[in-house]
């Protein structure tokens, strides 16, 4: 008689809280972005540095863990143990929450970025350990169901996060104009991060005191990948070389001149409104036009340089991985997991996937503030941000159905039911928070389209990626070519398209890697970097061509994911790997 390992439910429930944190903080950042833009007088690119700080920390944290592991010859996380690694990660995140509190108290934007960076460094360590730890807490055969359960709670965090952060910033659901934001008190933000920091410490203490938790230790030798490590280090250095001039340009003499011109323009426009002398009005108006022309010329010069350097940063990542792709084809020695083309192309796919997932949500607040999209204040966007990230929950709850052994009829029924339940929870949460949700009722049509896409995908990873990337492309094209609620629904539907992509990309990238699977997984986690690079690029493009058309960046990301879905099937077929029999969660 086969014995099944019992699931350690108390430990699993404690671990699930960690998954909730990741979603809560990440989605909550989407409310911080438009708030900080008004509060600290930032442009769209500068506001997107919240994402840059947060997601770059994931990359650097994973890279440092990999580099130290290579030097020591064994993986740090498995040598510490999953339990201790999660405790260390939680303590690190608590320190970041403390730094965030100090920065908020001092009204220093850069300090807030540092605080979020430290929080995310802790998350990087937690995420590296948490997924395999969830599998360790019970029968390995049912490990996927525990990971999917945790992922569903993570999505619940992304739904609630924007609502809680919005309440912390604006108090009630009552509209706060953008001009009033600069006078708001940040006391509730201090309280929010005090609670978050204490929760980090509390959960770390629970893990430490629990005697029944397995340590999750193992001593595994790391496969040597010196060429892969060197390539990643060069990519990192090139990123800093490309991004430094962009950051420095905000302190340049030309930028100071632009700021001075804006102050003079503001003063002259006030004079134009108050003066009654007709001839004086004409003179002031001419001066305003000249100043505006000079400012636009100077700004165009700076912005063109900034977008070129940002394009260089993007090329550093993608170009570096393409270089690895061709070099590893010539000689596989020293490349480790990067000897496999499906992994390298999958790394780019995950980079663009995280990039588009974050970029759509992070720039959504600015889009909704424009007149063509409702002219909302920063305090009114929370329901839309909540629905965008809630769209991830809608898709993931439906995707989790496949992890359970069910009859075909039950599976079909739950694939229809779970998205409806998830959509209802999102609407209810917003209604309880006091927000007007009638504008979101008809978004259910998009949910129905996603349910149809699930049935068409037939639970096969390549087919899933093809259909959902086409879903994303279609949604973005509709959004780019329309305005109003139709376009808003289309951009929100980008979340529905993204919801199921992570496991499909992850699974396809790791197929056939054998002993390099764990290392390949670590490389893929590093590609969360896309959330730190692509949103600021879209933000800077928004400063140049407008927020609406900046979504061309998001469209390009979906196009690459479609390309990956097509090419990876051919690559795996050449390696005699049966993709069709592989199940995507």
């Amino acid at each position: 008689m086969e014995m099944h390992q019992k699931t350690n439910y108390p430990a699993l429930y404690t671990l699930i809280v960690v998954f909730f944190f990741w979603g809560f903080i990440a989605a909550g950042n989407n409310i911080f972005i438009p708030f900080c833009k008004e509060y600290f007088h930032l442009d769209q690119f500068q506001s997107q540095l919240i994402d840059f700080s947060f997601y770059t920390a994931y990359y650097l944290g994973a890279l440092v863990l990999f580099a130290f592991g290579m030097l020591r010859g064994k993986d740090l996380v498995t040598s510490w143990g999953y339990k201790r690694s999660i405790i260390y990660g939680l303590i690190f995140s608590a320190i970041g929450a403390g730094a965030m509190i100090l920065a908020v108290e001092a009204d220093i934007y850069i300090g807030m970025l540092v605080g979020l960076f430290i929080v995310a460094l802790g998350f990087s360590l937690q995420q590296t350990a948490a997924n395999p730890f969830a599998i360790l807490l019970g029968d390995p055969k049912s490990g996927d169901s525990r990971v999917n359960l945790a992922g569903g709670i993570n999505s619940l965090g992304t739904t609630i996060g924007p609502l809680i952060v919005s309440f912390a910033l604006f108090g009630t659901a009552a509209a706060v104009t953008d001009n009033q934001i600069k006078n708001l008190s940040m006391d509730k933000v201090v309280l929010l991060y005090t609670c978050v920091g204490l929760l980090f410490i509390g959960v770390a203490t629970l893990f430490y005191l629990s005697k029944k938790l397995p340590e999750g230790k193992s001593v595994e030798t790391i496969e040597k990948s010196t060429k892969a490590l060197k390539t990643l280090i060069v990519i990192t250095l090139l990123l800093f070389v490309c991004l430094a001039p962009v950051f420095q340009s905000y302190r340049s003499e030309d930028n100071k001149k632009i700021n001075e011109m804006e102050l003079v323009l503001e003063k002259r426009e006030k004079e134009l409104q108050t003066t009654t002398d007709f001839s004086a009005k004409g003179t002031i108006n001419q001066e305003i036009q000249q100043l505006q022309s000079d400012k636009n010329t100077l700004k165009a010069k700076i912005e063109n340089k900034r977008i070129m350097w940002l394009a260089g940063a993007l090329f550093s990542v993608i170009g570096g991985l393409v270089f690895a792709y061709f070099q590893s084809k010539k000689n596989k020695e020293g490349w480790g997991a990067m000897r496999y083309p499906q992994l390298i192309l999958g790394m780019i796919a995950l980079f663009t996937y995280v990039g588009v997932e974050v970029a759509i949500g992070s720039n959504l607040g600015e889009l909704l503030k424009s007149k063509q999209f409702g002219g909302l204040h920063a305090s009114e966007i929370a329901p839309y941000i909540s629905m965008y990230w809630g769209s991830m929950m809608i898709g993931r709850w439906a995707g989790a159905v496949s992890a359970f052994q069910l009859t075909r009829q039950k599976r079909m029924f739950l694939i229809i039911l779970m998205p409806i339940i998830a959509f209802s929870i999102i609407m209810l949460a917003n209604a309880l928070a006091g927000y007007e949700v009638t504008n979101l009722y008809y978004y259910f049509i998009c949910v129905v389209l996603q349910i149809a896409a699930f049935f068409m995908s037939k639970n096969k990873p390549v087919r899933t990626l093809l259909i959902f990337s086409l879903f994303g492309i279609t949604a973005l094209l509709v959004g780019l070519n329309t305005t109003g609620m139709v376009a808003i629904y289309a951009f929100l539907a980008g979340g529905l398209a993204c919801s199921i992509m992570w496991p499909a990309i992850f699974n396809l990238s790791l197929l056939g890697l054998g002993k390099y699977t764990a290392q390949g997984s670590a490389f893929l986690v590093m590609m969360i970097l896309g959330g730190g690079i692509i949103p600021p690029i879209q933000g800077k493009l928004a400063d140049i061509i407008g927020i609406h058309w900046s979504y061309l960046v998001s469209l390009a990301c979906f196009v690459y994911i479609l390309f990956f879905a097509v090419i990876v099937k051919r690559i795996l077929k050449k390696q005699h790997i049966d993709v069709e029999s592989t199940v995507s969660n």
Side-chain angles (χ1 to χ4, degrees), residues 558-571:
F558 279 126
V559 169
Y560 177 79
I561 294 169
L562 176 63
F563 163 78
F564 172 72
V566 173
I567 200 72
V568 75
K569 185 175 181 179
R570 296 177 187 175
I571 290 169

Side-chain angles (χ1 to χ4, degrees), residues 410-427:
K410 285 182 179 178
R411 188 168 63 248
M412 289 176 67
F413 174 71
L414 286 174
I415 286 173
I416 295 170
L417 181 64
M418 295 309 292
I420 295 171
I421 292 173
F423 179 77
S424 301
I425 289 172
I426 298 161
M427 295 294 282

Side-chain angles (χ1 to χ4, degrees), residues 57-327:
Y58 271 93
Y59 167 72
L60 291 174
L63 180 60
V64 168
L65 283 173
F66 174 64
F68 271 98
M70 284 284 292
L71 291 171
R72 293 183 58 185
K74 58 181 179 180
D75 183 65
L76 285 181
V77 171
T78 53
S79 61
W80 286 338
Y82 297 136
K83 175 182 173 180
R84 193 187 300 178
S85 296
I86 291 172
I87 291 170
Y88 291 161
L90 286 164
I91 292 170
F92 224 90
S93 293
I95 293 169
M100 187 75 170
I101 290 166
L102 292 174
V104 170
E105 289 277 23
D107 268 2
I108 301 173
Y109 181 57
I110 293 175
M112 290 174 66
L113 298 180
V114 171
L116 283 170
F117 180 85
I118 298 170
V119 168
L121 273 180
F123 283 2
S124 176
L125 182 52
Q126 292 166 43
Q127 188 150 331
T128 304
N131 285 314
F133 196 51
I135 294 170
L136 196 66
L137 294 176
D139 188 344
K141 292 180 182 178
S142 61
D144 282 350
S145 64
R146 290 190 292 280
V147 172
N148 275 297
L149 174 62
I153 299 301
N154 171 270
S155 296
L156 184 62
T158 64
T159 303
I160 295 173
L163 303 177
I164 301 295
V165 173
S166 183
F167 178 76
L169 292 171
F170 307 114
T172 65
V176 176
T177 67
D178 293 343
N179 287 331
Q180 291 172 327
I181 285 176
K182 64 188 78 171
N183 299 317
L184 289 176
S185 169
M186 299 279 271
D187 291 346
K188 285 184 180 176
V189 179
V190 172
L191 179 61
L192 173 66
Y193 270 89
T194 300
C195 293
V196 167
L198 289 173
L199 283 170
F200 285 143
I201 294 169
V203 176
T205 304
L206 280 174
F207 268 86
Y208 179 76
L209 294 176
S210 178
K211 303 298 181 186
K212 293 183 179 180
L213 275 175
E215 291 293 331
K217 286 186 178 182
S218 68
V219 182
E220 294 180 5
T221 54
I222 288 184
E223 300 294 336
K224 292 294 180 183
S225 311
T226 50
K227 290 179 182 177
L229 178 60
K230 285 177 183 176
T231 301
L232 290 168
I233 290 171
V234 169
I235 287 173
T236 306
L237 292 173
L238 287 173
L239 276 175
F240 281 109
V241 168
C242 291
L243 293 171
V246 181
F247 298 145
Q248 192 60 40
S249 70
Y250 283 92
R251 297 183 177 181
S252 67
E253 288 301 318
D254 283 344
N255 202 64
K256 288 177 183 176
K257 285 180 184 176
I258 290 172
N259 291 335
E260 289 169 4
M261 286 178 181
E262 285 176 345
L263 289 172
V264 174
L265 274 168
E266 190 177 337
K267 185 179 177 182
R268 291 291 182 268
E269 282 169 357
K270 285 180 180 177
E271 288 177 5
L272 187 65
Q273 291 171 0
T274 56
T275 187
T276 54
D277 188 330
F278 185 76
S279 59
K281 271 182 180 282
T283 304
I284 294 170
N285 198 39
Q286 284 181 348
E287 188 179 347
I288 287 172
Q289 288 178 358
Q290 186 60 50
L291 272 170
Q292 192 69 50
S293 176
D294 292 344
K295 188 194 89 167
N296 290 342
T297 302
L298 191 56
K299 193 168 184 179
K301 175 186 168 186
I302 295 176
E303 297 290 26
N304 288 336
K305 285 182 180 178
R306 286 170 179 165
I307 200 69
M308 283 178 63
W309 281 112
L310 286 168
L314 183 64
F315 179 78
S316 298
V317 178
I318 296 176
L321 291 173
V322 170
F323 169 81
Y325 175 82
F326 287 108
Q327 289 300 309

Side-chain angles (χ1 to χ4, degrees), residues 323-455:
F323 169 81
Y325 175 82
F326 287 108
Q327 289 300 309
S328 62
K329 268 190 169 183
K330 294 177 183 177
N331 180 10
K332 297 185 183 300
E333 191 66 33
W335 285 103
M338 282 193 189
R339 67 180 60 202
Y340 294 94
Q342 64 264 38
L343 176 72
I344 295 178
L345 294 176
M347 288 171 72
I348 300 174
L350 210 69
F351 176 84
T352 54
Y353 156 73
V354 179
V356 68
E357 176 186 275
V358 177
I360 292 174
S362 296
N363 286 284
L364 193 59
E366 185 64 17
L367 184 81
L368 293 170
K369 286 164 66 178
S370 61
K371 288 182 180 178
Q372 290 179 307
F373 295 88
L376 303 181
H377 298 298
S379 61
E380 298 173 305
I381 67 170
Y384 298 92
I385 300 295
S386 174
M387 182 56 77
Y388 173 73
W389 288 103
S391 296
M392 304 289 176
M393 181 172 76
I394 291 168
R396 286 168 186 168
W397 282 21
V401 171
S402 302
F404 300 94
Q405 298 295 323
L406 301 168
T407 63
R408 185 172 178 272
Q409 288 79 10
K410 285 182 179 178
R411 188 168 63 248
M412 289 176 67
F413 174 71
L414 286 174
I415 286 173
I416 295 170
L417 181 64
M418 295 309 292
I420 295 171
I421 292 173
F423 179 77
S424 301
I425 289 172
I426 298 161
M427 295 294 282
L428 180 62
N430 279 280
L432 291 174
Y435 289 104
E436 176 58 51
V437 293
T438 52
N439 283 340
L440 293 171
Y441 285 160
Y442 292 105
Y443 184 64
F444 185 70
I445 296 169
C446 298
V447 177
V448 171
L449 292 174
Q450 190 206 40
I451 293 171
F454 266 110
F455 283 112

